[in-house]
Structures are given as C-alpha cells and as structure tokens.
Amino acid sequence: MLTTALDYRAWHEFGIERHQHGAWVPATGPASGGERVLAVSVPLFAAASAHYATAAPHAPRLVTLDEAFAGVDDDSRAKCLGLLHAFDLDVVMTSEREWACYPQVPGIAIAQLSRVDDIAAVLVTRWQWDGAERTRAPEPDRRTATEPNGHTAPEPDHRTATEPDHHTTPEPDHHTATEPDHHTTPEPDHHTATEPAPAGSPEGPEPTPAENPAPGQDALWP
C-alpha cells in the first residue's frame, strides 16, 4: 500500500503535444527519432527552468546532458541550445560530435578529449566560443598555480641542496684525508723504520755506522 501511495508517477498526468501543420498533435504520435528527442527534451528544459525559479537568485541552474540531441538535425540542435540559453540554464554536456558553436549560443567552453590505443593518457584541448568565432583557449599553467607571485619556482638542485656538488666540491680523498698518500708519503717500512735508509738513497739521510753490526753484516748499513 505504501509503494502504491508513494508512486509519484500516479500523482500527475502529463500530456505533451507539438504544433505541426497548424495544429497541436500528440508528441507520442508517429515521428522521427529526432522529433521524439525534441518532444521529450524541450518539456524537460521548461520544467527545469520552472523548478529553478524557486531557488535563490544566485543559485546555479545546472542541467547535465549525455549525448543529447542524437539524431537531431543541425538547425534543431541550434534552436534547442538557444532555448537553453533563453531558459538561463547552466549546461554541462557530453557529445561525440556536438561542439555547440551556433549563433544562438552566446558563449561556451569546450574541452576536446582525444586518446590513442595502448596509451594510458587522455589529451585535453581547450576551445572557447564567443557567439561568432571559435578559438583555442589558453592552457592553465599548473607550474605556477600554487605560487603566490605567479613566477615559476625552479625545482631544487639535489646536487647542491642535499649534498655537495661533485663537480665543484669533491669528496675527501681517503688517501690524503685519513692516511698518508702512498704515492707521496709511504707508510713506514718495518725494515727501515728503526734503521737508516741505504746510503745514496735520495729519500734517506746520510748513512751512519751501525753500533752493533750482526755477523756477516756491513758496518755502514744493513
């Protein structure tokens, strides 16, 4: 009983007619596909406009259309879009081929979506129509969208921001920073650390006689 009582389809009865050949005829009669689309769409636009008339003056008057006006000729499309403007409705519409660039439309923003198979991306090309001419709309600059001064902030150079630039500031040479460079200052030779280097060597001092030479050892150097 509640289902029957709350079925709003039974609360009202609507009859839609169209004026054809000088007389009003039911819109449900024989008609082409485009005529049936117009017969349904135009009353819905009028109903939406009447509904939004009860809203606040600055409230959005939004109408969304998906693949609208399929099978309708270009002249009827232009008139329907002009009717939406006359009803002062804010229209968001998707369509495979409709650009809505008609003189009856004073302005519209267009986002053309393109894609290629096997590429997980969609290209968005923006256009705008001013009632007389369609032109390319500028692309939003997302690089400066969050910058307060509108200038492009360069990305930080990780070579200088987080670590020294290896091209200008080389890392310490472990051969010289933590231990002697074997090429310039060799580690002490255990054979020569407690005894002088051989005589005549450019790296050692002049030889001195050994105090207690071992048997078979020269008296001047080991």
Side-chain angles (χ1 to χ4, degrees):
M1 294 177 63
L2 284 176
T3 301
T4 303
L6 297 178
D7 186 359
Y8 62 88
R9 294 173 296 180
W11 296 355
H12 304 281
E13 181 178 350
F14 294 91
I16 302 176
E17 296 180 344
R18 69 177 185 272
H19 194 266
Q20 186 176 18
H21 304 302
W24 289 96
V25 297
T28 57
S32 64
E35 290 176 336
R36 285 194 294 269
V37 170
L38 295 178
V40 174
S41 300
V42 172
L44 290 177
F45 298 158
S49 179
H51 173 71
Y52 283 129
T54 62
H58 300 291
R61 301 166 61 86
L62 183 63
V63 173
T64 58
L65 305 174
D66 181 25
E67 293 292 341
F69 313 128
V72 179
D73 61 274
D74 291 342
D75 181 66
S76 297
R77 287 169 178 259
K79 291 178 180 179
C80 283
L81 290 170
L83 184 62
L84 290 172
H85 169 63
F87 283 145
D88 193 23
L89 296 174
D90 304 320
V91 181
V92 177
M93 180 173 60
T94 63
S95 178
E96 182 181 357
R97 58 176 293 268
E98 181 59 67
W99 287 71
C101 297
Y102 303 108
Q104 292 86 343
V105 180
I108 191 170
I110 306 167
Q112 181 185 13
L113 307 182
S114 306
R115 64 177 300 272
V116 179
D117 293 338
D118 301 328
I119 297 180
V122 176
L123 174 64
V124 182
T125 307
R126 290 172 171 81
W127 304 81
Q128 57 189 12
W129 168 258
D130 61 1
E133 184 181 6
R134 184 181 67 192
T135 58
R136 281 288 298 270
E139 297 292 332
D141 191 351
R142 297 179 178 85
R143 297 174 302 172
T144 59
T146 58
E147 293 294 328
N149 55 4
H151 298 290
T152 303
E155 296 184 359
D157 188 351
H158 299 289
R159 296 180 304 169
T160 58
T162 59
E163 60 183 15
D165 190 344
H166 297 290
H167 298 288
T168 57
T169 308
E171 294 185 358
D173 188 351
H174 299 290
H175 296 289
T176 58
T178 59
E179 61 183 15
D181 190 343
H182 298 289
H183 299 288
T184 58
T185 308
E187 294 185 359
D189 189 347
H190 297 291
H191 297 287
T192 60
T194 57
E195 300 175 354
S201 173
E203 300 174 356
E206 290 295 327
T208 56
E211 296 181 358
N212 299 311
Q217 188 179 38
D218 194 286
L220 292 179
W221 54 75

